[in-house]
Amino acid sequence: NQFMDLNFKVVQAAWDQYVAGPDPIPDQIEGVRQEIADSWRRAQGNVNPFLTEMKTLSKDELDKVMKENTLLCEIAFPYLMDFYRFLRETKHHIMLSDTDGYQLLLINDDQQFKLLSQQTQLNDGCDFSEGSAGANGIGLALATEAPVVVLGPEHFLKMYHPLVCYASPIYDTAHHLIGSINITGPLETYQPY
């Protein structure tokens, strides 16, 4: 398992040197997974790693995006609620995004994690695309069109270092990318399965 060998101190040191620091990000970084290094490189110079406020759609823009994604939300919602029943006690929540990385739905009823959500800007209409937020579950799943896990300091934005994200792209029946699903929780709850 590639995650069992992950040394968070090494990843954090690489983040400090290359993401927070002035050094250009090399093609490969010892101790950092390749898809994370690639994502960091794509975001470097375009995304401020110390952002504290996410780019968020206005109410009118969000209404428009929600209308464009009505079918996705209607079909996904009951499945996400069923899935959430398994996660309810784990301080995780589920996010649904469109193909541009905008959060459409947040499913969570844990009060403690709602506070964390407010602190880390996990709101409907937030832009989690790689171009706005660097390496994160939604952005990386959409950029690579593959399931991903992003752990703590692998996130490009420092405010997401306390989190783990498990994400996957969603396709329609014609295999067109239509969005992503992301499960987010506190890093200390990370489970390889």
Side-chain angles (χ1 to χ4, degrees):
N1 182 328
Q2 63 178 327
F3 304 111
M4 296 303 227
D5 298 331
L6 196 64
N7 182 329
F8 288 100
K9 288 181 180 172
V10 169
V11 176
Q12 183 65 60
W15 187 92
D16 291 341
Q17 180 177 357
Y18 298 115
V19 176
D23 294 354
I25 299 172
D27 289 342
Q28 294 182 321
I29 305 169
E30 182 77 31
V32 176
R33 295 184 295 136
Q34 191 61 50
E35 63 265 31
I36 299 299
D38 292 343
S39 181
W40 284 359
R41 208 171 25 266
R42 289 189 294 267
Q44 190 175 43
N46 300 313
V47 179
N48 175 359
F50 299 102
L51 276 179
T52 56
E53 268 192 55
M54 296 293 294
K55 177 183 168 195
T56 304
L57 296 173
S58 69
K59 184 183 179 333
D60 288 345
E61 291 169 328
L62 179 58
D63 288 346
K64 182 177 183 273
V65 168
M66 292 300 288
K67 282 182 186 148
E68 292 168 355
N69 290 279
T70 299
L71 188 59
L72 171 62
C73 291
E74 287 177 355
I75 291 171
F77 186 75
Y79 291 101
L80 298 179
M81 287 304 294
D82 282 346
F83 189 47
Y84 184 71
R85 288 186 184 99
F86 295 105
L87 296 174
R88 180 167 286 149
E89 304 303 318
T90 67
K91 297 183 183 172
H92 285 73
H93 65 220
I94 301 174
M95 299 157 65
L96 180 70
S97 86
D98 70 357
T99 55
D100 294 321
Y102 290 111
Q103 180 179 310
L104 302 174
L105 294 173
L106 175 67
I107 300 173
N108 173 28
D109 63 5
D110 180 88
Q111 289 301 318
Q112 180 184 358
F113 205 63
K114 279 188 180 174
L115 178 60
L116 181 59
S117 296
Q118 290 164 1
Q119 292 168 348
T120 54
Q121 299 279 309
L122 305 178
N123 304 309
D124 289 350
C126 276
D127 182 355
F128 289 100
S129 67
E130 195 180 56
S132 287
N136 71 86
I138 290 172
L140 198 53
L142 293 172
T144 61
E145 294 194 29
V148 297
V149 177
V150 182
L151 297 156
E154 291 183 325
H155 288 89
F156 193 83
L157 298 184
K158 185 172 180 65
M159 72 174 160
Y160 295 135
H161 286 190
L163 303 177
V164 58
C165 293
Y166 314 85
S168 179
I170 301 172
Y171 296 94
D172 66 13
T173 54
H175 203 70
H176 297 117
L177 182 67
I178 58 170
S180 74
I181 179 175
N182 182 52
I183 299 168
T184 299
L187 181 58
E188 63 268 16
T189 65
Y190 167 64
Q191 295 289 342
Y193 56 85

